[in-house]
Amino acid sequence: MTQKISALNKKESSWSGRFNEPVAELVKKYTASVGFDYRLATHDIQGSIAHAQMLGAQKIISLDDVKSIELGLAEILQEIEAGQFEWLLDLEDVHLNIEKRLTDKIGDAGKRLHTGRSRNDQVTTDVRLWLRATTDYVVSGLCNLQASLLDLAEAHFDTVMPGFTHLQVAQPVTFGHHLMAYVEMLKRDVERFQDCKKRMNKLPLGAAALAGTSYPIDRELVAKKLGFDGVCENSLDAVSDRDFAIEFTFAASLVMTHLSRLSEELILWSSPRFAFIDIADRFCTGSSIMPQKKNPDVPELVRGKTGRVYGHLTALLTLMKGQPLAYNKDNQEDKEPLFDTADTLLVTLEIYADMLRLPVVENGLVVKAGFTVNKEAMRQAASEGFATATDLADYLVKKGMPFRDAHEAVALAVRHAVDKKVDLSDLPLATLQQFASEITQDVYAVLTLEGSLNSRNHIGGTAPAQVKAAIARARATKM
Ligand code: ARG
């Protein structure tokens, strides 16, 4: 929803009775949060309705008042959704803006809504409700990205590529196996968000300003109405801690960490030096000076935006650090980092789910793949880097040689092949036998890429059969 925030006007604030002079205009601007916390509006209204209904059920306010409040808030929600609500900076934040509008509409009943409540327990309730819904969006975004990766892994369950350690060719792996590594990371990310939601999903309302309230409230009833799993059990903690927001931002930071690793690989692989993949033009830009350039902007930005999300995590941790109990205005600074973390993460997940998917048919039109895979270049790179040297050592071990001796013999053979500028499999049998007399004609099966892949045939291994099994397990358990 796009919202217009009006400049200062001369409305009195709800707490001005105690003050001898008006708050300075610059201070009003400095302290107002409506410019960003308007995003909590629907959850603020949801929380207020549950609170009012509880006040009615407990006979703290009349049922007529509850009806008026419900109708008034429903109208306000419509105004907000239609972009017709006038947000006033003078009214500080989302809570006071809505309450003032309600009172203008329904009179005294509106003024009774805040009975037994404070903005301190109200704001953290709103943030928890907002974050709970956002967490569900994030989880579904993660699942969509996993779905793209799974389809891609399935299509490439036996596509050979070099596996790297230290960014040097190490051993052959399948592209499917490589992609499934990210499916695993994202699976843990999903679990982290689901776990963080358990602690987030507790009701602060009832804590009031800090110490609770003298009205005979029913907190369990409010919790039930709002779908919370229970209530925060200490009022001072309820209004003050933002650990749930920090946890969310940490979980988001880890997703971004994972995606930045993938980004780095996509950037490398799409460089003509690797040429493993070609990212579709719709995800790239050109250079204004170098006509030949096609830049992988999306993965580069994902890598860059990871820093932005880490920054928000640091901001939130620092915000909380050293705050005495209970509520302090510092906490108003929780919203912008949290909102931007969620916005950044959600759009990143969406764009990557699109970029990493196989071609799909949408509205009768084939939407092209986000990138194409150059199997030949991957295979070529795997065959060039002595990727099967470990297989040769293992072969010698199976013929009875101790592993350390086998390692040494193969290292010498590799050195020889490097000098001759050929691969191990190009060396004649007689030459190979100079390094280890145990070597016989059957060695050439071991030195093939497929032989190497298929030999790693256990759970977690790169054998194509295992990749298929991993995909099937992920499909069966996921989401
Ligand atoms: N806008 C405030 C925030 O985000 C709401 C709570 C204000 N409470 C107070 N006592 N001033 O934290």
Side-chain angles (χ1 to χ4, degrees), residues 201-215:
N201 201 27
K202 300 272 189 231
L203 174 77
L205 273 182
L210 74 164
T213 174
S214 56
Y215 297 96

Side-chain angles (χ1 to χ4, degrees), residues 149-161 172-181 183-184 453-454 456-475:
L149 286 165
L150 280 170
D151 288 345
L152 205 56
E154 193 155 50
H156 292 285
F157 81 102
D158 63 353
T159 301
V160 190
M161 69 178 282
V173 294
T174 66
F175 188 42
H177 191 55
H178 194 109
L179 293 168
M180 287 302 290
V183 172
E184 285 289 307
L453 290 177
N454 286 322
R456 287 159 168 75
N457 191 16
H458 52 77
I459 187 162
T462 192
Q466 291 297 335
V467 176
K468 273 198 157 172
I471 293 167
R473 281 198 304 276
R475 287 202 197 285

Side-chain angles (χ1 to χ4, degrees), residues 228-456:
F228 282 108
D229 293 329
V231 303
C232 299
E233 294 199 11
N234 179 290
S235 63
L236 298 165
D237 173 49
V239 290
S240 62
D241 207 340
R242 296 292 183 268
D243 56 357
F244 62 93
I246 296 173
E247 270 194 68
F248 175 92
T249 309
F250 171 68
S253 295
L254 270 186
V255 177
M256 294 303 289
T257 303
H258 292 150
L259 297 184
S260 77
R261 299 180 67 191
L262 177 59
S263 301
E264 177 68 12
E265 297 193 322
L266 295 170
I267 293 162
L268 281 173
W269 295 343
S270 65
S271 142
R273 291 289 163 133
F274 273 76
F276 287 2
I277 61 167
D278 185 30
I279 299 176
D281 289 358
R282 65 185 186 282
F283 296 105
C284 298
T285 62
S287 155
S288 52
I289 174 168
M290 296 165 285
Q292 84 283 12
K293 289 295 286 295
K294 178 173 144 180
N295 298 327
D297 288 43
V298 168
E300 285 175 322
L301 270 177
V302 172
R303 197 173 56 181
K305 284 178 191 289
T306 302
R308 174 183 180 132
V309 173
Y310 290 178
H312 295 326
L313 176 60
T314 307
L316 289 175
L317 284 165
T318 312
L319 172 71
M320 204 68 243
K321 175 191 169 294
Q323 268 196 54
L325 291 176
Y327 176 85
N328 301 282
K329 189 77 166 179
D330 314 40
N331 280 347
Q332 179 166 290
E333 288 287 308
D334 64 351
K335 288 164 205 66
E336 288 162 293
L338 193 56
F339 291 160
D340 191 69
T341 295
D343 293 344
T344 305
L345 180 58
L346 285 168
V347 69
T348 301
L349 290 172
E350 191 181 334
I351 205 162
Y352 259 12
D354 191 23
M355 209 178 94
L356 293 165
R357 72 180 172 179
L358 289 171
V360 283
V361 180
E362 251 173 34
N363 305 324
L365 293 172
V366 180
V367 180
K368 284 192 299 174
F371 66 85
T372 49
V373 177
N374 183 349
K375 290 189 185 191
E376 227 4 85
M378 284 186 175
R379 170 172 276 276
Q380 189 58 31
S383 14
E384 274 167 8
F386 304 101
T388 57
T390 316
D391 299 273
L392 179 55
D394 291 342
Y395 166 91
L396 292 173
V397 168
K398 282 171 199 153
K399 299 245 170 181
M401 196 184 269
F403 181 77
R404 279 289 155 232
D405 294 343
H407 184 283
E408 175 68 7
V410 176
L412 293 173
V414 167
R415 199 154 102 186
H416 179 81
V418 170
D419 288 345
K420 297 271 175 239
K421 295 193 171 50
V422 295
D423 192 60
L424 282 178
S425 59
D426 299 322
L427 295 174
L429 184 59
T431 311
L432 285 169
Q433 283 170 336
Q434 288 169 14
F435 299 101
S437 57
E438 292 85 342
I439 295 177
T440 53
Q441 188 62 37
D442 59 357
V443 74
Y444 291 102
V446 165
L447 293 176
T448 65
L449 296 171
E450 269 71 20
S452 171
L453 290 177
N454 286 322
S455 69
R456 287 159 168 75

Side-chain angles (χ1 to χ4, degrees), residues 55 60 114-117 212-218:
L55 292 178
I60 300 167
H114 211 52
T115 312
R117 182 177 80 168
T213 174
S214 56
Y215 297 96
I217 56 170
D218 182 350

Side-chain angles (χ1 to χ4, degrees), residues 12-24:
E12 273 198 1
S13 67
S14 56
W15 38 254
S16 56
R18 146 138 194 20
F19 286 66
N20 290 326
E21 60 172 354
V23 174

